[in-house]
Amino acid sequence: MILLPLALISFTFTSCDNDDNDDPVIPTIQAPQTYSFERNGESTISYSGQTTRLEQADELYAALNSSGSTASGLDLMFNGSDGSSAGFANDLLNGTSKIIGSKTASSTLSGSATTKDKFNQYITDFASNVAPNWNMDAAPGMPGSITSPDGGSTYQINAVGQELDQLFFKGLIGAFTLDQIVNNYIHPNQLDSGSRIDDNDSGVLSDGKPYTDMEHKWDEGFGYLYGQEGDLDVVGYTIGSAPAGSGNLLMKYFKKVNAEGGYEPGIGQIVYDAFIMGRTAIVNRDYDLREAQADIIQVELSKVIGYYAIHYLNDYIVKVEAGNIAKAHHSLSEAYGFILSLQFTNNGNDEPYMSKADVESFLDTSLADFHNVNQADIIANGSGMIDIIKAAYGNTLMID
Amino acid sequence: MIKKIFSSSFVLILLIFSCSSDSDDNSSEVWEQKSEMLTNWADNFIIPYYTTLTNKLENLEASANTFTISRNQQNLENLRNSFINAYLSWQYVEMFDIGLAEETYYKSKMNIYPTTASKIELNIQNGNTDFNNSNNFSAQGFPALDYLLYGIETSDELIISKYNSDSRYLSHIYEIIDQMLQNTYPIVEDWQNYRNPFIGSVRNTATSSVNKMTNDFIYYYEKGFRANKFGIPAGVFSGGALPEKVEAFYNQNISKALALESFQAIKKFYNGDGGVSLRQYISEVSTEEYSELSTDILDQFNIAENLINDLNENFYNQILTNNIKVLETYDAIQQGTILLKTDMLSVLQIPTDYVDADGD
């Protein structure tokens, strides 16, 4: 007689966990060693749209380093035309729905129209002021070129001393790649919207595809980091411990942080494993586990921005003290972009490590004119930018 | 034996209850709150707003009659005023994309902009417009009237003379207004029957009134308000600005008035206007993490509204002269989207029922 209520209890608990009483028992899978998942013998991984955008970014980067680029040509590459990508030399990148600009500062969580517009303005400033003065000597108020004392490096800067391709691309690391991963594709706003939970629970696949919508969205997040990795079948190739993707965006600095002698060797494996475990959790319909993995990815990838914002601020000071003004402008331009990117970080609780308002107060005051920078704004103990960024990360960054 | 069955059932009920309150659904207290909210929405928002809109559309038809009889400046002005009044009252209705309105693509027939002027002209030349053909959705409703009353010629004098010289234009105004009424009447009538099932549909399912209407409200905020009135014309989703995509392009001076009216509708709906709505419901069920959410949303609405107030009456001119102000306004509105779509839905445990196409 006591057994009956106990049976009811366990039955009720099961139905609690599962929302849907009729759910059949799902066979669960173990997390694989590599990011490979199959359904009926067919791979369910797809992130070609991300690879396309990353490749578009490479061409755009080159164009922002060419005196021959025009405002309309750059705008075409960045924003496309009538919802279709255009303007790339590699024709495979044209005529697609993949447009970098439409994914710049565009997440629900941290997107901003004014921040997106800054990128449009960098293009305008570059095409109207920098490109026409390519071979002029730069000076305060005067765009042009600046060369390092050893003659080894020449950079083109705008009237306030900023190297625009660096502002643009280091800004894009946060506003585009990081934002799309941590604030969009691995976030419930994207993964759980519409009927995606129900569909994933009952194995409803995307139209004509071997994957569920939720699986695919997670893969797209993965693709914004790993979308330019080489041939994964090469013997000894270890994407986890030694990520090696090409390109000029988040992966470029993720590799550096992970490298031997980098700021946090091992971060590569941590992030890769979290992507695998999160994707496994989706297959197993374990959304709490998925969220826990998303938190890991959000925190770890966000650190890359913090490390390199500080790295280039430090580097700026070093270059100034060494009398290498050209390199100082270059480093500060990189720092500027990484600081811009800080507003797109995610601390695992859907908050950035540094708010848009705080980011902009740095950029618009201390870094508004690179010809007039007060070093104390950067290095002052406690109140300088470097210490403020460290504190924003709760002093979790392993960097001086 | 009876006693034992009772005790085991009791355990079962207890457990169902405790697990239900976790998922915030089936307890009778929550049902009552939802029902109260739905009743408020039906009786103090949806049904009266439709009545007001119907009256304004009938006034519009009457003004069109007067203009037809005597096509002078005074009557054109009266017709335009009736048009503006109806357009303002439309701002309260567009979000109710539910029931028959949803089935008949009502909002698409009433307010897709920019309107396709070339299609309107073609329809005038051909006659016999099929307004139920989705190809003609952008050639009817308020945006088409905006074109016909302000845009067919470059001055009032020329507009009046066009109506004097070509009766097809006059009859097309009629057809469009008549169509708007024919679109509206069945929905008004349907609500008399639909009201009771609407207010009784309180379960947390994708098709319940609570879930659908809450999603409709957020969708309207995100798409109808944020994107259509600000984001698209300001160029948020394209490279450059597209000022010709403002609402009421041919009478741009009312673009801000329409947006502000729409915001009033949003705020009233959220606040409940004296009854129970989302604001009260959030306060009731929110966890500690979101204890400030209901006021955070209000604060964000106020920030956004102040920015809208600072814009030019004419959004087209504002975008051309200083688009950054529009982008800043858009960002403030977007902050509201996050609070509504991410935080509020999380508190209410309602899933979003729409997804954005992401082009991948």
Side-chain angles (χ1 to χ4, degrees), chain A residues 23-270:
Chain A
D23 242 10
V25 178
I26 317 153
T28 56
I29 62 162
Q30 298 294 314
Q33 294 288 308
T34 59
Y35 198 82
S36 51
F37 295 85
E38 292 183 345
R39 177 174 276 111
N40 303 326
E42 187 180 2
S43 171
T44 56
I45 308 294
S46 166
Y47 46 81
S48 59
Q50 282 58 48
T51 304
T52 298
R53 283 197 177 85
L54 295 174
E55 289 176 357
Q56 290 173 339
D58 289 341
E59 273 204 38
L60 182 55
Y61 188 57
L64 278 170
N65 279 290
S66 160
S67 61
S69 297
T70 62
S72 61
L74 292 166
D75 179 60
L76 198 59
M77 295 169 89
F78 184 46
N79 288 310
S81 171
D82 288 331
S84 185
S85 62
F88 298 99
N90 175 357
D91 202 43
L92 294 174
L93 304 177
N94 296 322
T96 77
S97 60
K98 284 77 182 165
I99 295 168
I100 299 168
S102 74
K103 299 291 170 187
T104 300
S106 78
S107 71
T108 300
L109 211 56
S110 293
S112 157
T114 48
T115 304
K116 161 74 198 298
D117 194 57
K118 284 179 191 289
F119 290 87
N120 291 331
Q121 287 169 25
Y122 298 151
I123 285 179
T124 308
D125 190 12
F126 178 83
S128 2
N129 302 313
V130 176
N133 293 298
W134 203 257
N135 295 315
M136 308 285 284
D137 286 340
M142 183 63 213
S145 288
I146 184 166
T147 300
S148 58
D150 63 3
S153 307
T154 297
Y155 306 101
Q156 283 74 34
I157 56 181
N158 69 4
V160 293
Q162 300 165 332
E163 194 188 359
L164 289 165
D165 64 295
Q166 294 305 321
L167 269 57
F168 194 103
F169 263 78
K170 273 48 180 185
L172 218 51
I173 288 174
F176 172 51
T177 41
L178 183 73
D179 187 48
Q180 282 299 301
I181 299 169
V182 303
N183 298 322
N184 181 35
Y185 280 123
I186 65 167
H187 192 277
N189 280 347
Q190 183 63 258
L191 294 170
D192 296 348
S193 73
S195 57
R196 285 176 186 162
I197 293 179
D198 287 347
D199 290 348
N200 194 65
D201 282 346
S202 50
V204 174
L205 303 183
S206 309
D207 209 14
K209 306 289 188 190
Y211 44 70
T212 68
D213 278 3
M214 194 192 288
E215 290 170 347
H216 183 51
K217 296 300 158 189
W218 185 271
D219 290 349
E220 294 189 286
F222 180 85
Y224 269 118
L225 184 62
Y226 295 103
Q228 289 180 303
E229 286 287 348
D231 186 352
L232 302 186
D233 293 335
V234 174
V235 176
Y237 190 80
T238 45
I239 184 177
S241 60
S246 60
N248 295 293
L249 293 167
L250 184 56
M251 176 52 84
K252 180 173 177 178
Y253 291 90
F254 180 65
K255 284 187 297 194
K256 293 187 188 207
V257 174
N258 181 64
E260 206 180 320
Y263 291 114
E264 201 176 323
I267 191 176
Q269 194 68 50
I270 293 171

Side-chain angles (χ1 to χ4, degrees), chain B residues 235-253:
Chain B
V236 171
F237 310 104
S238 51
L242 304 166
E244 67 280 4
K245 298 205 174 189
V246 296
E247 194 172 23
F249 169 70
Y250 297 99
N251 182 30
Q252 304 155 3
N253 287 326

Side-chain angles (χ1 to χ4, degrees), chain B residues 43-237:
Chain B
D43 294 349
N44 300 317
F45 290 85
I46 302 174
I47 293 169
Y49 287 166
Y50 269 112
T51 306
T52 307
L53 175 65
T54 308
N55 292 338
K56 305 280 181 188
L57 288 173
E58 285 168 348
N59 289 344
L60 177 61
E61 190 177 43
S63 302
N65 268 327
T66 313
F67 179 67
T68 306
I69 294 162
S70 181
R71 297 174 291 274
N72 56 39
Q73 182 70 32
Q74 178 62 44
N75 287 341
L76 179 63
E77 286 306 319
N78 286 342
L79 176 54
R80 286 170 167 176
N81 283 335
S82 299
F83 164 73
I84 293 169
N85 285 332
Y87 212 169
L88 288 168
S89 75
W90 167 255
Q91 304 299 326
Y92 289 86
V93 170
E94 189 174 313
M95 72 175 78
F96 304 122
D97 188 28
I98 193 166
L100 190 61
E102 184 183 14
E103 285 169 35
T104 58
Y105 302 98
Y106 180 57
K107 71 174 182 191
S108 299
K109 291 175 182 169
M110 296 294 274
N111 197 29
I112 284 193
Y113 56 92
T115 193
T116 315
S118 58
K119 195 161 271 176
I120 297 172
E121 291 288 349
L122 199 67
N123 288 339
I124 291 171
Q125 303 307 318
N126 294 342
N128 277 330
T129 308
D130 176 6
F131 289 104
N132 287 317
N133 182 336
S134 58
N135 291 340
N136 277 322
F137 286 180
S138 71
Q140 59 181 302
F142 289 105
L145 284 179
D146 176 49
Y147 172 68
L148 289 167
L149 299 183
Y150 299 90
I152 54 169
E153 286 294 348
T154 50
S155 71
D156 288 2
E157 210 172 36
L158 289 172
I159 288 173
I160 291 169
S161 91
K162 185 134 192 172
Y163 282 111
N164 276 325
S165 64
D166 192 336
S167 66
R168 293 177 305 176
Y169 279 84
L170 265 183
S171 37
H172 203 66
I173 290 185
Y174 254 128
E175 284 170 32
I176 285 183
I177 296 173
D178 185 57
Q179 192 60 39
M180 293 165 85
L181 280 164
Q182 298 315 319
N183 292 336
T184 308
Y185 286 139
I187 298 171
V188 172
E189 204 174 296
D190 189 61
W191 266 99
Q192 293 179 357
N193 299 321
Y194 185 44
R195 177 191 176 273
N196 286 340
F198 177 82
I199 65 175
S201 174
V202 292
R203 297 293 296 256
N204 187 2
T205 66
T207 52
S208 73
S209 302
V210 176
N211 290 31
K212 284 198 73 170
M213 193 56 237
T214 304
N215 267 291
D216 282 355
F217 169 67
I218 298 172
Y219 186 80
Y220 177 68
Y221 183 85
E222 185 175 359
K223 185 74 174 65
F225 179 66
R226 180 200 68 141
N228 292 357
K229 294 180 201 300
F230 298 91
I232 291 171
V236 171
F237 310 104

